[in-house]
Amino acid sequence: MEATTFVLFGATGDLAKRKIYPALYNLYVDQKLPQSFSVIGLGRRELSDETFQANVEQSLRMFSRREAKDPVVLKNFVRAFRYSVLDVGRKEDYLKLLKLIEQQEAELRMEPNRLFYLSVGPEFFETIAANIQESGLGSANGWKRLVIEKPFGHDLQSARDLNRNLSKAFTEEEIFRIDHYLGKPMVQKLEVLQQSHPVLQALWGNHSMANVQITANEIVGVEERAGYYDHVGALRDMFQNHMLQLLMMLTIQLPNNSTSENVRFNKKQVMDSLEALNKEDVRSHVVRGQYGAGTIQGKSVVGYTSEPNIAANSQNDTFIAAKLQIANDAWRDVPFYIRTGKRMKDKSTRIVIEFKEPFVQAQSNDEDLTPNLIVFEINPNEGISLQFNTRDPQQQREFRPIHIDFHERGDNVPEAYENLIGDALHGDSTFFAHWDEVELSWQWVQPILDAYEENLVPLHRYEAGTYGPAESDELLAKDGFHWWFDDKPEQTIESIKGERYAYYTNR
Ligand SMILES: NC(=O)C1=CN([C@@H]2O[C@H](COP(=O)(O)OP(=O)(O)OC[C@H]3O[C@@H](n4cnc5c(N)ncnc54)[C@H](OP(=O)(O)O)[C@@H]3O)[C@@H](O)[C@H]2O)C=CC1
Ligand SMILES: O=C1O[C@H](COP(=O)(O)O)[C@@H](O)[C@H](O)[C@H]1O
């Protein structure tokens, strides 16, 4: 891998400590970092290199999935870390940074390849990009890349403005927009599975699927993020980015050995085919919710408007469920139900595909017959389960479900940030959010934002510790479906009556 200087804006922040340093450390231990690699951390706080290195070590002890105990390994790792004070608006700080980088590159005989990682608030993105450009930080003889955290805009117009301004300093190929759901191992497998698995290939699409359900339930509430979350809500925080990315990754149709370009092109096609909503249609396709007080896993929790720093009359959404349709040959007539919410009964991110009833089942008298399903478990556990009905060998006419589970052994799975940072270092943008799809996502979401703003969609209160408002169930019931694995929390795919086959892979 090419020599790289990793320039981290926001090096003293929460994301750096919890995700970025552990990811870099795990890549280092797995020998996936370039041979010549240096990190320059930036922030307003005055820190010596030694204190910065000690802070990095501390964050590894707290947050790395690998034990960070071996003092020799740790020392070798943090040796690559330097710190420089930089206030994003102070131009002289960028010149000082340029000097430090050039000095490091000369000392280590590194090519001037620079990756700028913006782990700072979105209000700084444009200023930093412009200052990188003006100071000459990005005009060396090597490559430059910009890794940018969410949120990418607040609505369609602000996203377009942000993109236009970033484009003055970086080309689209140089911009890596992080959506950490795209780094999750199971999400990355969706692409490969479709291309390489003949059974899945044969089943993929509207000829056999009855509906698709994409869920991201969270137990946590607003946490300490009131200032951010109360202006954003579930629609902007989760739906516009993570949930629509899951939809795209599931429904793209790729040629064998697809490239990053194929992925980008096909995701755009999916978004282009998504049936647009008018502001007036939103009410019949979208359920907006906000959590009230309740009990989760035996603990009482307060309602959203009683959370610290949330206004008592806040109308912010903490839950959304929506029905979407893709008007192309592969997916026409398959409803996609997507939901995400805070303070739900359990933490579960999963995709459930429910198949149409085959003829043989329609003839069966067994009322307990369960539909055939494929379940992609994304979080907290990862795995794929197939539930297929088969004849019971002892009771000739009866059907019963069998389950086939493929589970990854949990201890050695890379985290989303490891995958994504590794890809950015390689210059591979397959699992990043490209501008076309970001713009089309905002375009699709904009009528919902408008309808919320004009109060055209009721805000349903739901009790914390449930699966959201009853209206979310009605959204599916209207079409004759129900959310899988709700109501009967004990009814996971593992516990439904039937034989079960489990395969574990260590790939
Ligand atoms: N934390 C998380 O889990 C997630 C965060 N994100 C996104 O990542 C980004 C960073 O979040 P997070 O780490 O939580 O934020 P924090 O508030 O914890 O950290 C912000 C960082 O920005 C630096 N900073 C603030 N103002 C300036 C300034 N004027 N000049 C230079 N540096 C400045 C701070 O350093 P100092 O105070 O030393 O100046 C600090 O290092 C945000 O865009 C957030 O939305 C995205 C997903 C998850
Ligand atoms: O981006 C975000 O994601 C988290 C949920 O991520 P997960 O990996 O735990 O599913 C969410 O809590 C947060 O509000 C949002 O900003």
Side-chain angles (χ1 to χ4, degrees):
M1 207 188 298
E2 293 164 302
T4 309
T5 302
F6 190 97
V7 184
L8 180 58
F9 293 79
T12 54
D14 176 68
L15 184 70
K17 283 182 210 156
R18 284 196 308 115
K19 297 290 181 190
I20 300 173
Y21 300 139
L24 287 174
Y25 178 68
N26 289 322
L27 288 168
Y28 172 75
V29 173
D30 289 341
Q31 300 184 325
K32 289 182 179 163
L33 287 182
Q35 282 293 99
S36 301
F37 184 68
S38 81
V39 179
I40 302 199
L42 304 166
R44 287 166 306 177
R45 268 162 258 194
E46 299 273 352
L47 296 181
S48 65
D49 287 342
E50 292 69 30
T51 310
F52 178 50
Q53 291 173 355
N55 292 349
V56 172
E57 275 192 39
Q58 175 65 5
S59 78
L60 301 180
R61 276 189 278 274
M62 287 175 74
F63 300 113
S64 173
R65 73 179 163 84
R66 282 208 171 83
E67 272 202 327
K69 269 189 178 162
D70 185 332
V72 181
V73 179
L74 279 171
K75 277 284 158 281
N76 283 337
F77 174 66
V78 297
R79 219 173 30 194
F81 286 66
R82 298 283 178 280
Y83 184 83
S84 184
V85 172
L86 178 142
D87 189 316
V88 294
R90 235 175 18 217
K91 295 191 185 299
E92 58 271 31
D93 289 350
Y94 292 83
L95 297 175
K96 194 177 69 180
L97 172 63
L98 177 59
K99 255 194 187 160
L100 175 62
I101 294 178
E102 286 176 340
Q103 190 186 317
Q104 285 272 105
E105 286 169 346
E107 236 170 65
L108 302 170
R109 300 206 183 137
M110 289 170 66
E111 281 146 38
N113 300 322
R114 297 164 192 169
L115 183 149
F116 301 96
Y117 194 125
L118 309 197
S119 179
V120 290
E123 64 279 19
F124 297 133
F125 294 168
E126 284 146 301
T127 312
I128 295 176
N131 279 323
I132 289 173
Q133 164 95 333
E134 263 178 47
S135 62
L137 270 161
S139 60
N141 261 338
W143 51 252
K144 66 177 190 304
R145 292 181 193 139
L146 183 75
V147 178
I148 187 164
E149 278 292 338
K150 61 172 267 206
F152 198 90
H154 192 69
D155 56 15
L156 179 58
Q157 192 52 51
S158 60
R160 282 180 173 157
D161 293 344
L162 172 58
N163 201 57
R164 200 181 43 252
N165 288 330
L166 294 183
S167 309
K168 293 175 190 162
F170 292 87
T171 64
E172 173 63 16
E173 288 64 40
E174 291 172 333
I175 301 177
F176 292 72
R177 296 176 198 81
I178 293 231
D179 182 308
H180 81 277
Y181 271 50
L182 290 177
K184 290 183 188 275
M186 179 52 70
V187 178
Q188 301 204 333
K189 276 186 209 119
L190 288 175
E191 179 214 6
V192 183
L193 277 168
Q194 273 181 61
Q195 284 182 67
S196 61
H197 204 290
V199 174
L200 291 184
Q201 258 174 7
L203 293 173
W204 224 246
N206 50 9
H207 54 286
S208 54
M209 292 182 185
N211 75 81
V212 177
Q213 305 176 10
I214 307 180
T215 292
N217 289 338
E218 294 192 81
I219 289 178
V220 294
V222 63
E223 300 177 285
E224 280 87 45
R225 301 163 76 207
Y228 158 78
Y229 193 81
D230 204 38
H231 293 107
V232 173
L235 176 57
R236 291 183 172 101
D237 184 46
M238 292 287 292
F239 190 93
Q240 177 274 328
N241 39 67
H242 306 322
M243 305 310 285
L244 289 179
Q245 285 291 345
L246 290 182
L247 175 76
M248 287 179 239
M249 292 308 290
L250 187 78
T251 54
I252 45 175
Q253 289 169 306
L254 296 168
N256 281 341
N257 303 319
S258 60
T259 60
S260 156
E261 268 314 301
N262 297 135
V263 172
R264 175 187 304 225
F265 179 74
N266 283 280
K267 282 164 89 180
K268 179 175 183 300
Q269 281 197 321
V270 167
M271 289 309 296
D272 272 331
S273 306
L274 209 52
E275 283 182 10
L277 293 181
N278 294 321
K279 208 167 51 177
E280 291 70 30
D281 300 333
V282 173
R283 194 189 167 107
S284 57
H285 285 72
V286 172
V287 176
R288 167 161 80 141
Q290 186 187 82
Y291 65 81
T295 304
I296 304 184
Q297 298 179 342
K299 271 173 88 181
S300 301
V301 298
V302 298
Y304 181 71
T305 50
S306 304
E307 297 274 17
N309 304 318
I310 300 289
N313 60 355
S314 172
Q315 295 290 297
N316 192 32
D317 52 306
T318 63
F319 175 94
I320 175 170
K323 175 181 171 180
L324 296 83
Q325 308 251 209
I326 301 173
N328 65 17
D329 288 347
W331 297 107
R332 188 168 292 107
D333 300 329
V334 179
F336 288 81
Y337 304 103
I338 301 184
R339 67 175 167 175
T340 180
K342 294 218 181 267
R343 287 289 190 225
M344 308 289 276
K345 190 165 200 156
D346 49 42
K347 169 81 182 167
S348 48
T349 309
R350 69 163 74 93
I351 300 173
V352 180
I353 294 172
E354 180 175 332
F355 290 98
K356 291 176 180 168
E357 304 259 316
F359 176 67
V360 67
Q361 284 188 218
Q363 287 187 319
S364 164
N365 295 327
D366 187 347
E367 292 195 347
D368 290 337
L369 205 59
T370 49
N372 297 324
L373 304 175
I374 294 186
V375 184
F376 295 95
E377 293 285 354
I378 297 168
N379 201 359
N381 302 312
E382 212 196 72
I384 304 171
S385 310
L386 311 181
Q387 175 184 297
F388 289 130
N389 284 301
T390 184
R391 259 188 217 292
D392 187 330
Q394 270 116 44
Q395 316 228 345
Q396 285 273 313
R397 295 229 41 87
E398 286 198 6
F399 286 86
R400 65 175 179 171
I402 62 162
H403 308 287
I404 306 174
D405 295 348
F406 305 85
H407 284 282
E408 197 85 48
R409 287 214 190 280
D411 37 10
N412 209 16
V413 182
E415 287 197 348
Y417 272 84
E418 274 168 71
N419 286 332
L420 295 174
I421 291 175
D423 285 350
L425 288 167
H426 273 108
D428 180 351
S429 70
T430 308
F431 294 110
F432 290 83
H434 314 111
W435 169 243
D436 289 338
E437 71 223 29
V438 172
E439 182 179 36
L440 288 167
S441 306
W442 277 119
Q443 200 164 300
W444 195 84
V445 155
Q446 189 62 50
I448 311 182
L449 290 172
D450 296 340
Y452 281 13
E453 185 69 28
E454 293 173 35
N455 251 323
L456 302 177
V457 184
L459 180 68
H460 301 286
R461 298 296 187 298
Y462 60 96
E463 197 182 323
T466 65
Y467 288 105
E471 287 74 8
S472 149
D473 298 327
E474 284 158 24
L475 189 70
L476 278 70
K478 283 193 287 202
D479 299 336
F481 302 122
H482 63 83
W483 291 109
W484 279 97
F485 311 118
D486 285 5
D487 303 330
K488 298 177 188 148
E490 75 284 1
Q491 191 198 30
T492 62
I493 205 140
E494 282 87 0
S495 63
I496 305 173
K497 185 187 89 181
E499 284 179 44
R500 199 163 158 258
Y501 302 90
Y503 294 91
Y504 290 93
T505 63
N506 261 328
R507 284 189 313 115

